[in-house]
Amino acid sequence: DFNERCAQCSEVNWGLTDGGRYYCKSCHNVTERTREVVNTDFITNSRIQTISKGSRKQEKTGIGCEWYVCEGFQLVLKKQAEALEALGVCPQMKDEVLYSFWRCYLQKSKQAYCNRPAGETVKALSVCESSTDVDSEPERPSLLHLLSLSESEGDLQTDCSFASSMSKLSESTSVYSGSVDGSLYLMKNQKEKLRMTMPMTLSFCYMALLWLREPITLSELLRFVVEGHIPYLNVFQHFPEKMKLCGLDLKIFCVESWPVYEEVHNKMLELAAFLDLPRFPDITDSCFLHPDMLCIKYLMEANLPDELHNWTCRVVKKIGIGEVDFLTLVPGNKSTRKVKYDILAAAVIVVVLKLLFLLDDRYEWLLSDFAEERNKNNEEGGLYFEFKKWYEVVKHSLDVEQKKLDEERAKYLWRCEKPLFYSVKNKSKVLKRRQMVVNLQNQFGKLSGSVRRAEKPNPSSFQLSWSEENTDGSCFHGHSLKGILQEKCGLLTAMNPDYWLGTVKLCNEKLCGHLAHYREVDFPQSYHFVLSLFSFLLRIQPSYIHDEVCMIEHKLFNKKLYKKLKYNTVLRK
Amino acid sequence: SSHEHKLNFKKSKEACLSYIQDAMLQKQWKRAAEFLTFYVESLEKDYSREPIGPSEMIWRIGTEILCHHPHSNMKEFNCFIEQMKTLGVKRYLKVCLEHVFHLLCNGQIDEAYQNLSLAESWRFGEQTAIQDKEMKLIQAYRALLDYYSWSKQKNILSEHGKCLDGFADLSVEQEMHSYFRKAAVNLKEIIKIPGVWDLFVKCYVDLLEFYGDHNEACQVLNEYAYNSKFPANPNAHVYLYQFLKRQGESKKSLISALKILHDIVPSHELMIDFNTMLQKSKKRKKRRLGLEVIFAALDYAGWKENVKAWSCLARQVKQIVISEKHLDWIKQEWNSRKDWWPAFHFSRYLAKRNWQENKSLSYEKALVAGILLGKDCKYFKYVSHQGCKAQVKKFRMLKKFVNRHNPVYLRISG
């Protein structure tokens, strides 16, 4: 407990004010110190009682309880953690890691567990109905301004119509939200305190997963989100009845776009730095996220021969990207480029393919023809890997899956049963619309012929699978690379003597966002195909994989490049 | 397909819409319906900035699907449309109107009438004034249905006229008059607005004529045909002409009614009547116009095998040649045609075909060809040869005539 001497009378005789502050019982000096909250059922109890704000008003108007935005996010994180647990992530993630990170965040961003800075009061803005109190705030922030501050999407028209409908109400109505601090939340200066957003919940999750070195990559996590295995879209459905969501809350909690890899990743890094986290647990070569391990997975999924794994390991070793220090995240260290494990592994495979097959739209087909000849004439012994056959098989499956994905995108349902409305005023309109939507869905659903989509498919780590049992020869895992390798000085090397770089000079990522610039027309089609394969698997643009490929190439051929640059400068002189 | 891995509500619905459109273009109604179920949640988002919002899209797409889908029926359709009516107040009357059209096309006249009456009684603040035009249309179509009821009663009466059933007739007659009143009021209103109202005009005129108000009918038709605010409409002139003819008006007014029709639609079928009237006129200008009219009509491919038209031209040309006056008329008309009419009308192939299929046609054409192109032209030579071979008297006469007047050709073609 609090044992300091009172600044005024030097006594140690403390009591607590209604506002939760310590005051000296002897001289009635009130301090700024607030009582630290120590409630351990923070996460399990959804009715949060620990925010040191004073007594909580319950059911004041029958409309719901008071709740703060961070409580909402806490619930979201809880749901997400539970879903991850259901997917097989260890329970520590939710109860220990994620919870600790969240608590730390609340503390650092001064939303809880701390002294509330003086002067920053959260005006108890009205809850979904107009108040009759005269508004004493001298500058009421313009509603439109607040709406525009939010990062979440919304159409301007809705915002304007909301704003104008609001202004039609009485003057004394303040901007409102179901949550107590919705408007304040949007007003806060983002840069200083890393304001919480829905995509950031995924950053939290990923950070926790990374801390625990769980076998889920960020691209997988985001894929699970899109496939609905992890609550994100419409997660507010799971808020308890009493937590009413309306007005500006919608801007904070309602998502209308798929989470973006780069955004989630960058926010995770910012978050790790903001929370002053130490060096993350080591990523060693037995971790799933280590490129050697991830390469196994991706090679399997890409239907490539297992033998390629030797090559990926060689590349990894040669350029040092398998080193613990390279792979492990040290938050706040701005000098090292942050590792995107999934993209890195995919890029390694691409580089290996370039090393062995060149991928200039000519050589790989030549090699394939030789392999084909050999395979035709030799029935015994394993099959040699034929690039052409592989291309045909994989392209076919890729096209089928891509087509399915494109249709899924068009069929994506964004709304849910729980209605969202900006204000009580348009609640009935919203409900009517919802009813009509449901009616129309039923009417045309019946005319669709086929049965409506079954429940979402089970989450699967592999999007493409190939079985060696298939007699149609569509699985290439066991194929041999013999036809394209040769022995030199006791070492196996590629027959291909050439290599082309994705870019001669790497760009400054901080300035233009990329290390290199990828345009499909500038590169061989085989290369584009390989990029698009991994682009599909990881659900990211091919240009990001291309960046990693260029980065790896520059490390791999560093000496040669350096020599060449030196030579060039010498020449110029 | 887009390989973008970012997706938001708007893009997702745009993609959905393009799948719907593809399916509709390929008449895959089940697939279109399937994607529509995923599109409808757009209604829950505000698109008022876009020119065409989801509610209008859904109305139009849904209507198309329900029209063509094998498992759809009128009940489903009506249920759907009723929902669409509630979706957009600014479109309410339009939706009602299109619903009515659909009902009419499916033979549900009574339901159509009910819907029209219901729509007529709709009021919605300032929207009522804004949608004034649609309202007039609604009233006009209701009036049209009243007209048909009137027409039915009229037919009943004329049937009964034979049976002399007094009492039944009276009530039928009263009903008939009441339909007349209801119809006339609104038909009169709509045709005041500049537009194309052929059906309404015809029905209104029919009513007026029946009740003997010929002045009003004449005025209406004149307005419809000559008021410059109204879009140029050949039919307006046709209706006026037919009315004047029915009324036994003078040739002068009939001709003036058809003059504009000739200007707008030189290929109109009434050009034959027009030419016939003009040819007989005592005024030289009128006869000149007649020649112009018939030549102009035959410029069109649809008239190539029209015996009447050719006989009109032949008659007039023959008359001019015999009188030896106004050969310059023929010369003027032929000037712009001499480069292409020979191939168009008077080829050897056509000579053979015309002779085989229609001897009267070949006769008339041969006459014209003989005058315009001389006795040595392919068409005339072939037909007259065939005709004489077949020993048909008039062809021999034709041959003689053309031979005799051959110098005319020289003067024309020079």
Side-chain angles (χ1 to χ4, degrees):
Chain A
D1 225 307
F2 194 40
N3 282 323
E4 275 189 38
R5 286 189 176 278
C6 169
Q8 251 178 250
C9 68
S10 306
E11 291 283 313
V12 184
N13 187 8
W14 300 105
L16 271 177
T17 65
D18 282 345
R21 292 218 178 90
Y22 286 106
Y23 76 97
C24 178
K25 282 186 183 153
S26 312
C27 66
H28 300 285
N29 169 35
V30 183
T31 69
E32 290 300 296
R33 295 288 281 270
T34 48
R35 189 154 172 258
E36 280 278 292
V37 181
V38 193
N39 191 335
T40 48
D41 39 8
F42 192 63
I43 291 198
T44 52
N45 185 358
S46 67
R47 288 260 305 275
I48 296 150
Q49 293 149 1
T50 59
I51 313 279
S52 57
K53 277 286 306 143
S55 60
R56 172 174 297 277
K57 296 168 213 152
Q58 310 268 336
E59 310 284 349
K60 139 174 103 148
T61 48
I63 278 179
C65 71
E66 284 189 349
W67 59 278
Y68 291 82
V69 168
C70 59
E71 293 177 69
F73 278 117
Q74 191 162 304
L75 255 176
V76 171
L77 285 172
K78 175 176 172 245
K79 287 284 164 196
Q80 289 172 339
E82 283 169 1
L84 282 165
E85 213 178 317
L87 285 174
V89 169
C90 66
Q92 287 153 289
M93 190 240 170
K94 180 178 103 169
D95 299 331
E96 292 174 23
V97 181
L98 192 59
Y99 158 56
S100 303
F101 284 158
W102 177 245
R103 193 172 74 139
C104 187
Y105 168 77
L106 286 176
Q107 217 164 3
K108 296 251 180 203
S109 62
K110 305 209 193 305
Q111 288 175 76
Y113 299 106
C114 61
N115 303 325
R116 201 160 265 288
E120 189 193 296
T121 48
V122 175
K123 184 170 170 67
L125 302 168
S126 62
V127 184
C128 291
E129 63 172 333
S130 54
S131 83
T132 49
D133 301 328
V134 173
D135 196 354
S136 59
E137 252 181 281
E139 294 166 31
R140 194 150 25 109
S142 134
L143 181 49
L144 267 178
H145 175 63
L146 282 179
L147 289 169
S148 64
L149 282 178
S150 157
E151 286 162 353
S152 80
E153 282 177 46
D155 40 288
L156 187 58
Q157 195 61 28
T158 310
D159 294 350
C160 287
S161 65
F162 173 49
S164 68
S165 72
M166 281 309 299
S167 64
K168 281 182 193 143
L169 295 175
S170 72
E171 267 301 302
S172 56
T173 309
S174 346
V175 293
Y176 63 54
S177 51
S179 62
V180 173
D181 58 340
S183 60
L184 192 75
Y185 205 79
L186 288 174
M187 250 183 351
K188 270 197 258 184
N189 183 350
Q190 296 98 292
K191 285 189 195 126
E192 275 173 23
K193 288 172 188 170
L194 206 64
R195 194 184 63 187
M196 189 65 181
T197 60
M198 278 305 292
M200 244 168 89
T201 60
L202 297 176
S203 302
F204 266 97
C205 289
Y206 177 58
M207 198 164 68
L209 290 169
L210 185 58
W211 185 272
L212 288 165
R213 300 174 290 182
E214 286 286 332
I216 298 187
T217 60
L218 179 54
S219 53
E220 253 180 326
L221 175 69
L222 297 180
R223 181 166 62 86
F224 288 152
V225 167
V226 163
E227 289 176 359
H229 305 300
I230 296 177
Y232 183 73
L233 189 74
N234 301 327
V235 67
F236 54 80
Q237 282 179 104
H238 304 297
F239 285 8
E241 262 303 298
K242 283 179 274 190
M243 278 171 81
K244 298 287 175 194
L245 209 80
C246 65
L248 293 168
D249 301 327
L250 303 185
K251 281 269 151 192
I252 300 168
F253 289 103
C254 297
V255 163
E256 279 189 352
S257 58
W258 284 359
V260 174
Y261 188 106
E262 300 79 49
E263 187 190 340
V264 174
H265 192 257
N266 291 340
K267 272 291 191 241
M268 187 273 291
L269 298 173
E270 256 186 84
L271 197 55
F274 178 73
L275 299 181
D276 274 328
L277 294 178
R279 176 182 162 117
F280 271 52
D282 287 347
I283 305 282
T284 61
D285 52 17
S286 56
C287 286
F288 178 78
L289 295 173
H290 192 277
D292 287 342
M293 299 290 264
L294 274 179
C295 278
I296 297 181
K297 174 177 194 271
Y298 292 150
L299 283 170
M300 270 182 76
E301 220 173 344
N303 201 10
L304 288 165
D306 299 337
E307 277 182 36
L308 282 171
H309 187 242
N310 300 330
W311 292 87
T312 63
C313 290
R314 274 170 79 171
V315 168
V316 165
K317 185 149 186 211
K318 179 118 197 232
I319 61 178
I321 60 174
E323 300 299 309
V324 147
D325 290 332
F326 175 83
L327 291 171
T328 308
L329 176 63
V330 180
N333 181 351
K334 293 214 172 116
S335 55
T336 53
R337 187 163 179 273
K338 298 301 179 266
V339 181
K340 297 177 186 148
Y341 306 97
D342 35 20
I343 307 182
L344 184 65
V348 167
I349 297 178
V350 174
V351 168
V352 163
L353 288 174
K354 277 174 82 176
L355 282 168
L356 297 176
F357 296 97
L358 188 55
L359 295 186
D360 66 340
D361 280 347
R362 239 198 32 135
Y363 192 71
E364 65 271 22
W365 305 109
L366 270 171
L367 287 178
S368 183
D369 287 340
F370 291 142
E372 190 185 344
E373 271 304 306
R374 184 268 169 194
N375 283 337
K376 256 199 287 194
N377 300 330
N378 291 46
E379 283 306 323
E380 32 32 71
L383 283 173
Y384 279 20
F385 176 73
E386 287 174 51
F387 188 88
K388 180 165 175 228
K389 260 205 180 153
W390 171 81
Y391 172 83
E392 284 168 357
V393 168
V394 172
K395 179 165 203 322
H396 173 76
S397 295
L398 184 62
D399 287 346
V400 166
E401 293 302 313
Q402 183 69 59
K403 188 160 178 248
K404 268 195 232 163
L405 182 64
D406 290 337
E407 282 201 19
E408 285 304 307
R409 287 162 57 97
K411 290 183 182 174
Y412 208 72
L413 282 177
W414 299 87
R415 294 294 157 103
C416 63
E417 274 311 314
K418 182 161 176 170
L420 301 172
F421 37 91
Y422 271 98
S423 64
V424 173
K425 233 185 66 155
N426 75 351
K427 179 175 180 176
S428 60
K429 182 175 175 201
V430 166
L431 288 174
K432 258 198 240 164
R433 275 288 160 106
R434 182 71 212 163
Q435 189 55 51
M436 176 169 316
V437 166
V438 169
N439 290 344
L440 289 171
Q441 283 173 338
N442 287 337
Q443 181 170 27
F444 288 98
K446 271 187 252 159
L447 293 175
S448 298
S450 54
V451 179
R452 255 215 73 171
R453 265 181 330 169
E455 288 304 308
K456 57 191 177 215
N458 285 330
S460 143
S461 196
F462 284 84
Q463 296 173 74
L464 297 173
S465 61
W466 317 90
S467 171
E468 298 221 2
E469 268 118 46
N470 283 353
T471 48
D472 57 2
S474 62
C475 178
F476 295 83
H477 295 154
H479 288 212
S480 163
L481 295 175
K482 273 217 195 90
I484 62 169
L485 300 175
Q486 61 191 357
E487 218 177 287
K488 261 192 186 168
C489 318
L491 255 184
L492 265 182
T493 55
M495 276 174 66
N496 168 35
D498 297 324
Y499 194 92
W500 54 270
L501 291 174
T503 180
V504 173
K505 189 157 183 274
L506 291 176
C507 265
N508 185 340
E509 207 167 17
K510 292 197 173 77
L511 285 180
C512 68
H514 283 279
L515 284 176
H517 295 276
Y518 180 71
R519 276 194 328 164
E520 187 184 335
V521 296
D522 295 338
F523 292 90
Q525 290 186 356
S526 301
Y527 180 68
H528 174 71
F529 172 71
V530 168
L531 281 190
S532 62
L533 172 59
F534 288 105
S535 164
F536 169 80
L537 291 176
L538 301 182
R539 306 292 166 90
I540 53 168
Q541 289 300 98
S543 52
Y544 288 100
I545 307 176
H546 181 71
D547 278 351
E548 290 295 300
V549 168
C550 292
M551 184 274 287
I552 292 172
E553 287 173 347
H554 276 248
K555 278 203 203 303
L556 200 54
F557 297 106
N558 185 36
K559 289 205 191 83
K560 290 207 177 108
L561 280 170
Y562 181 63
K563 254 198 237 163
K564 191 170 182 209
L565 282 168
K566 243 179 102 177
Y567 182 65
N568 282 343
T569 52
V570 166
L571 271 182
R572 259 187 254 124
K573 278 187 196 150
Chain B
S1 67
S2 147
H3 299 278
E4 271 277 323
H5 295 283
K6 304 187 183 180
L7 190 69
N8 59 23
F9 189 103
K10 189 161 176 227
K11 283 207 193 116
S12 170
K13 292 311 165 201
E14 276 170 12
C16 192
L17 205 57
S18 73
Y19 276 96
I20 296 176
Q21 288 167 344
D22 278 346
M24 281 171 63
L25 282 170
Q26 293 172 55
K27 305 199 195 291
Q28 295 170 333
W29 304 110
K30 286 190 182 154
R31 191 169 153 85
E34 187 191 352
F35 277 92
L36 187 59
T37 63
F38 298 109
Y39 182 76
V40 293
E41 63 170 12
S42 305
L43 287 175
E44 297 184 85
K45 200 161 157 64
D46 182 25
Y47 277 70
S48 45
R49 250 206 312 190
E50 317 265 328
I52 299 186
S55 47
E56 184 161 357
M57 283 290 194
I58 291 169
W59 166 45
R60 295 237 181 253
I61 293 173
T63 303
E64 272 306 296
I65 294 177
L66 288 170
C67 276
H68 294 103
H69 196 289
H71 296 315
S72 164
N73 52 42
M74 278 311 287
K75 188 157 163 255
E76 289 261 1
F77 187 85
N78 292 335
C79 172
F80 171 72
I81 291 291
E82 290 306 323
Q83 285 186 86
M84 293 299 105
K85 285 180 187 170
T86 68
L87 263 189
V89 119
K90 291 186 191 158
R91 246 190 336 269
Y92 178 77
L93 287 180
K94 215 200 278 191
V95 177
C96 283
L97 202 53
E98 297 218 3
H99 185 201
V100 163
F101 293 156
H102 197 257
L103 290 167
L104 288 173
C105 289
N106 280 274
Q108 299 195 329
I109 316 287
D110 292 333
E111 285 80 1
Y113 194 85
Q114 276 166 28
N115 273 282
L116 284 168
S117 306
L118 203 65
E120 230 184 312
S121 63
W122 181 76
R123 299 282 178 273
F124 201 95
E126 57 178 23
Q127 281 299 321
T128 324
I130 294 172
Q131 296 183 46
D132 177 59
K133 289 210 170 77
E134 285 87 343
M135 185 56 92
K136 285 237 159 56
L137 271 175
I138 298 230
Q139 288 166 333
Y141 277 97
R142 206 222 61 222
L144 191 66
L145 293 181
D146 285 329
Y147 167 83
Y148 281 117
S149 303
W150 171 86
S151 193
K152 264 195 284 189
Q153 304 300 78
K154 188 181 77 157
N155 290 339
I156 294 174
L157 263 186
S158 63
E159 288 282 312
H160 287 188
K162 301 163 194 164
C163 326
L164 299 164
D165 186 345
F167 291 114
D169 275 2
L170 195 62
S171 73
V172 170
E173 214 180 309
Q174 277 179 341
E175 253 192 272
M176 195 181 95
H177 293 323
S178 111
Y179 280 126
F180 159 69
R181 278 190 293 275
K182 281 164 60 177
V185 160
N186 289 116
L187 288 175
K188 182 173 178 166
E189 275 305 301
I190 190 90
I191 60 184
K192 279 194 202 153
I193 306 175
V196 177
W197 309 122
D198 289 357
L199 194 52
F200 298 143
V201 165
K202 273 177 85 169
C203 298
Y204 187 47
V205 164
D206 191 24
L207 289 171
L208 290 171
E209 279 194 83
F210 182 84
Y211 287 94
D213 194 350
H214 304 291
N215 284 335
E216 175 74 5
C218 192
Q219 204 172 348
V220 161
L221 287 168
N222 271 288
E223 262 292 293
Y224 194 52
Y226 296 122
N227 186 338
S228 55
K229 289 205 195 102
F230 282 69
N233 182 356
N235 293 336
H237 302 278
V238 174
Y239 298 156
L240 179 60
Y241 167 76
Q242 288 168 340
F243 172 77
L244 293 172
K245 203 163 166 200
R246 280 195 300 271
Q247 299 297 312
E249 292 291 324
S250 68
K251 280 283 186 301
K252 185 169 174 205
S253 38
L254 290 178
I255 285 173
S256 92
L258 286 179
K259 173 80 176 59
I260 303 186
L261 186 61
H262 160 69
D263 289 335
I264 314 175
V265 190
S267 59
H268 199 278
E269 58 182 359
L270 283 177
M271 291 303 108
I272 291 184
D273 290 18
F274 194 33
N275 167 270
T276 310
M277 277 192 284
L278 289 168
Q279 266 194 52
K280 292 191 197 141
S281 170
K282 294 202 179 78
K283 298 238 171 81
R284 191 180 342 141
K285 255 193 177 169
K286 295 255 163 37
R287 294 199 306 276
R288 173 73 187 88
L289 179 63
L291 192 65
E292 182 187 317
V293 163
I294 195 67
F295 261 105
L298 285 165
D299 280 339
Y300 290 85
W303 289 81
K304 274 169 102 163
E305 307 197 341
N306 189 314
V307 182
K308 271 214 96 183
W310 283 105
S311 83
C312 282
L313 179 59
R315 186 177 347 121
Q316 194 161 12
V317 157
K318 188 173 178 183
Q319 195 270 323
I320 290 173
V321 162
I322 290 173
S323 73
E324 296 194 4
K325 273 202 278 188
H326 309 301
L327 283 169
D328 56 310
W329 289 0
I330 302 184
K331 188 168 177 182
Q332 279 162 19
E333 290 301 324
W334 186 233
N335 219 6
S336 58
R337 291 173 170 94
K338 62 181 187 236
D339 292 326
W340 61 282
W341 266 44
F344 191 57
H345 286 303
F346 303 127
S347 65
R348 191 173 149 78
Y349 167 75
L350 278 173
K352 275 191 178 165
R353 215 180 81 184
N354 293 156
W355 171 255
Q356 265 175 351
E357 293 174 1
N358 193 337
K359 305 240 180 342
S360 320
L361 177 68
S362 63
Y363 172 81
E364 303 294 345
K365 280 180 77 174
L367 176 62
V368 175
I371 301 292
L372 296 176
L373 293 169
K375 64 179 168 61
D376 292 321
C377 81
K378 290 178 266 195
Y379 196 94
F380 176 76
K381 262 174 98 168
Y382 180 85
V383 170
S384 61
H385 175 73
Q386 294 292 328
C388 292
K389 214 168 66 170
Q391 292 188 340
V392 180
K393 185 176 179 196
K394 68 178 179 179
F395 281 94
R396 266 186 294 148
M397 308 278 288
L398 173 66
K399 192 166 181 184
K400 276 197 200 140
F401 178 82
V402 170
N403 282 330
R404 189 160 19 142
H405 292 279
N406 200 46
V408 165
Y409 145 70
L410 295 166
R411 261 185 277 163
I412 293 172
S413 62

